[in-house]
Amino acid sequence: MYPLLNDPSPITRTQEQIFDALYNTTLVILESTLQLDSEQKTRALYFSYNLCLCDDCQKECGAHINKKGQIRISQKFFQNSLQSPLPSGLLELMYSIFHQMLHGIFPEFEEKTIIEKTEQAWKSGMAELAKEKLGLSS
Ligand SMILES: [Zn+2]
Ligand SMILES: [Zn+2]
């Protein structure tokens, strides 16, 4: 489920490779959730992603998505996450990316609704992936 998290030496990878792997894994979770239909999932495939050094991102460790569908992750947040104990830091980062994906999929929803949707969709996606994994190993 997490090829990246099973890698004993993620530090030897470049930041970009880690970011790509995290983003792609987050997309797999989104793809697996039962809380979104396929049209909604397809929207997420058109988002792009970058590390961000805007004023907000330098002050706070956060993430945001703009109107063009570009997900921006604070570079500080990204670097802090890599330094915190695995896998909690990376999961937190992926959860933030996931949250921004939902903002992009549902631009009409307010923050409170997105927070709820993020939690439900994430749980469902993780549960489906876990089932898949059990299926493969049995
Ligand atoms: Zn920013
Ligand atoms: Zn939000």
Side-chain angles (χ1 to χ4, degrees):
M1 171 156 73
Y2 297 121
L4 175 74
L5 303 184
N6 293 331
D7 185 339
S9 55
I11 299 310
T12 61
R13 296 171 180 233
T14 68
Q15 271 195 16
E16 265 172 27
Q17 285 172 318
I18 295 174
F19 194 27
D20 284 346
L22 281 174
Y23 192 88
N24 290 331
T25 307
T26 308
L27 266 183
V28 171
I29 299 169
L30 187 89
E31 194 56 47
S32 306
T33 187
L34 302 177
Q35 300 282 328
L36 300 173
D37 64 30
S38 60
E39 192 217 309
Q40 291 160 344
K41 289 173 184 175
T42 304
R43 280 186 224 165
L45 300 178
Y46 296 96
F47 301 154
S48 62
Y49 55 99
N50 293 100
L51 292 179
C52 188
L53 287 163
C54 76
D55 286 351
D56 282 348
C57 284
Q58 302 219 41
K59 265 183 252 147
E60 285 172 52
C61 291
H64 50 103
I65 183 168
N66 65 21
K67 292 218 162 67
K68 290 183 206 153
Q70 296 169 324
I71 294 177
R72 308 206 146 244
I73 306 292
S74 153
Q75 190 175 47
K76 194 166 126 193
F77 181 30
F78 181 72
Q79 283 166 350
N80 287 351
S81 301
L82 296 189
Q83 274 153 23
S84 63
L86 294 169
S88 62
L90 297 184
L91 280 173
E92 197 191 333
L93 197 58
M94 282 163 51
Y95 194 82
S96 293
I97 295 171
F98 196 80
H99 179 83
Q100 298 307 323
M101 285 174 172
L102 287 183
H103 270 302
I105 294 171
F106 302 107
E108 70 276 24
F109 288 169
E110 58 180 29
E111 183 64 22
K112 189 170 165 280
T113 312
I114 295 292
I115 289 174
E116 280 166 19
K117 279 202 167 288
T118 304
E119 199 182 326
Q120 290 163 357
W122 174 271
K123 270 192 198 150
S124 165
M126 290 300 241
E128 289 305 306
L129 283 173
K131 270 191 225 162
E132 232 172 73
K133 208 178 179 192
L134 286 177
L136 285 177
S137 58
S138 63

